[in-house]
Amino acid sequence: MMQQHHVTLPLPVLKLAQWHQGGAARVQFVEELGRAAREYGFFYLTDHGIPAAQIEQVMTLSQQFFQLPAAQKQQVAMVNSPHFRGYSTIGSELTNGRSDQREQFDYMQEEKALDPAAMTTHWHHLIGPNQWPSALPSMRDTLLTWQQQLSSISMELLEAFALALEQAPTAFHRSIGEQPYTHTKLIRYPQRPSNNNQGVGAHKDPGYLTLVLQDEQSGLEVQHQGEWLSVVPLPGAFVVNIGELLELASDGYLQATYHRVVSPNNAQERYSIAFFMAAQLAAEVPYLALPAHLKRLAQGPSSDPNNPLFRQVGQNVFKGRLRSHPDVAQRFYSELLKNAG
Ligand SMILES: O=C(O)CCC(=O)C(=O)O
Ligand SMILES: [Fe+2]
């Protein structure tokens, strides 16, 4: 018999199949979710229904993309997209003012940019087409399907979150409308350079929820009671975390947890794929009326002068993008930065 290795996982493991099962299993899922969300703001999600073969296919595609010659990746460079979509080279992204040691490919829903006359506010620029590399013709359909599937899982999770907060399961629906704003990021962390181990600096995610798929290389860490916990990889699981919009909606009863990635310390590189779900850009985050026993524990959303949280979804997403991608901000939004500064 194969020897079993029992690794103690640092975070709760939730099975989405339990939610699908309904009845008492669903009630238990909601209870576990409520506890995990309040205690850690992070958990592993397994039994989510996405086949292992598809996960493998998407991970392989990501590796193929990053292995393309630099010139081909530059053909889809994000710095050419006012919509913050495409490839960012290592070091071009900033978190907490320091450069992140990762290269990435960002895409969102496939959309047409708005007519300039219809652009009445800055975040309208987030809407637009993706950029796809001609060298990998299957990438577009494979990744848009992936994004749609993760969006469906996130919608189910949001219903469960609503129940955990003792709301109607549809409490978030109005802010989502027909389609939430979704964003996926393929990421490659190279082996740690000698002078900077910041894969991505400590941050909160700006949306409602994030689902991360990691390979077998650790590096993701979450802040918990003043310590950094290593989110050791659990094969096939998504790591789910709460974003700023859920913190705002619950008046800080749930908090968006700080997390970071420390660059691989050995000869390995690390690949991950992060999926971020916000609400509709035009929406305002709802104020949920929490029952007294939860309200008592709500501390109000955190107020960090370096990271104001905005209830207007588009504004919250746009501020995050401007800060993370100064090259795009400088090229397309320098007037805005001048006025803000
Ligand atoms: O790569 C990871 O594991 C997490 C990435 C992350 O936190 C982010 O891109 O917001
Ligand atoms: Fe993150």
Side-chain angles (χ1 to χ4, degrees), residues 259-271:
H259 55 285
R260 67 184 186 187
V261 174
V262 177
S263 301
N265 189 18
N266 43 26
Q268 301 291 316
E269 50 190 4
R270 175 177 184 270
Y271 287 88

Side-chain angles (χ1 to χ4, degrees), residues 233-293:
L234 178 62
F238 289 108
V239 178
V240 181
N241 71 279
I242 290 172
E244 292 170 349
L245 299 186
L246 209 43
E247 177 169 330
L248 281 169
S250 67
D251 198 31
Y253 170 77
L254 298 179
Q255 292 191 351
T257 310
Y258 278 103
H259 55 285
R260 67 184 186 187
V261 174
V262 177
S263 301
N265 189 18
N266 43 26
Q268 301 291 316
E269 50 190 4
R270 175 177 184 270
Y271 287 88
S272 64
I273 301 177
F275 166 83
F276 308 94
M277 192 183 97
Q280 261 188 336
L281 294 174
E284 294 256 326
V285 180
Y287 283 101
L288 303 179
L290 298 182
H293 71 111

Side-chain angles (χ1 to χ4, degrees), residues 42 102 185 187 189 200-206 210 212 220 241 257-261 274 276:
F42 259 87
R102 59 179 189 173
K185 193 189 268 299
I187 314 169
Y189 298 88
V200 58
H203 66 281
K204 295 175 170 190
D205 293 337
T210 304
V212 172
L220 175 60
N241 71 279
T257 310
Y258 278 103
H259 55 285
R260 67 184 186 187
V261 174
F276 308 94

